[in-house]
Amino acid sequence: SLVQLHPETKEYIPYLATHWKIESADDKKTQTFSFHINPKAKWADGSPVTAEDVKASWIHRTREDRSDPSNRMTFLEGYQEPQVVDKLTVKVITKELNWRLFLYFGGMAIFPAKEVSVDGKTYLDDWNWKLWTPSGPYTLKEEDVKKGDSVILNRRNDWWGETELWGRNCFNWDQIKFLVVRDAELQYEMFKKGD
């Protein structure tokens, strides 16, 4: 996402965006949110995260062919289409005053434009079951997903956020393995044994 919440203060802090600006319209009926993306931000394939990715992520959520009425309603009713100001700056104008709108847009997961800019059938048939290229500290490879058994995340050795203030001393595990246990009783017994 562009911003995240500080775990203790609950104030907004940078994530993909280094800084942002909130402006109220003269009539006090709308607001404009501008976000500047960290020039260090990279996708796992090495390509930069850009304002086009942010706009494409919003469009992805508002397309009817995605069969996602909740996102469609939230993002179409709350905002005008985002505008790319330059390669690293995006701005969006709200359709009303509501404190949640900054939270929704700033907290929206950002995807690579090249992956979300597909037709609805391709998205529903293919991308619902493929793994997105991440910008975060971990990657997930198809071979690390064992359906009904486990999922393994591996830490990226080239993660751009490692030196950022909010990323230091975080995400230190080289590998995280999630075990799938569908039986609640078995989960509890495994928990008690330390499994």
Side-chain angles (χ1 to χ4, degrees), residues 52 56-57 59-60 63 66 112-119 132:
E52 288 292 345
S57 296
I59 290 170
H60 167 67
R63 289 184 52 171
R66 298 309 196 239
K114 62 187 171 201
E115 293 178 8
V116 295
S117 300
V118 296
D119 64 273
W132 301 97

Side-chain angles (χ1 to χ4, degrees), residues 129-192:
W129 306 105
K130 285 185 183 176
L131 306 171
W132 301 97
T133 301
S135 64
Y138 292 94
T139 59
L140 176 62
K141 298 176 186 163
E142 289 189 44
E143 61 267 19
D144 290 333
V145 177
K146 309 283 190 247
K147 289 185 181 180
D149 182 50
S150 64
V151 174
I152 298 172
L153 300 176
N154 289 293
R155 190 172 192 285
R156 292 173 53 192
N157 60 8
D158 63 345
W159 181 48
W160 65 274
E162 186 171 26
T163 58
E164 297 299 307
L165 181 61
W166 50 264
R168 290 184 206 148
N169 305 311
C170 299
F171 314 107
N172 295 324
W173 301 101
D174 288 333
Q175 190 175 79
I176 301 172
K177 183 174 183 176
F178 298 91
L179 296 177
V180 177
V181 182
R182 294 184 175 151
D183 182 290
E185 293 281 330
L186 181 56
Q187 286 176 12
Y188 181 63
E189 292 304 320
M190 290 174 71
F191 174 74
K192 288 193 313 188

Side-chain angles (χ1 to χ4, degrees), residues 1-4 13-20 35-43 48-50 53-54 57 88 106 108-111 134-136 159-161 164 166:
S1 59
L2 295 164
V3 297
Q4 58 185 330
I13 60 173
Y15 203 41
L16 284 174
T18 55
H19 53 281
W20 51 90
F35 297 89
H36 183 75
I37 298 167
N38 190 329
K40 297 180 197 172
K42 303 269 187 261
W43 299 107
V49 177
T50 67
D53 295 318
V54 177
S57 296
L88 297 176
M108 170 180 69
I110 307 302
F111 304 114
S135 64
W159 181 48
W160 65 274
E164 297 299 307
W166 50 264

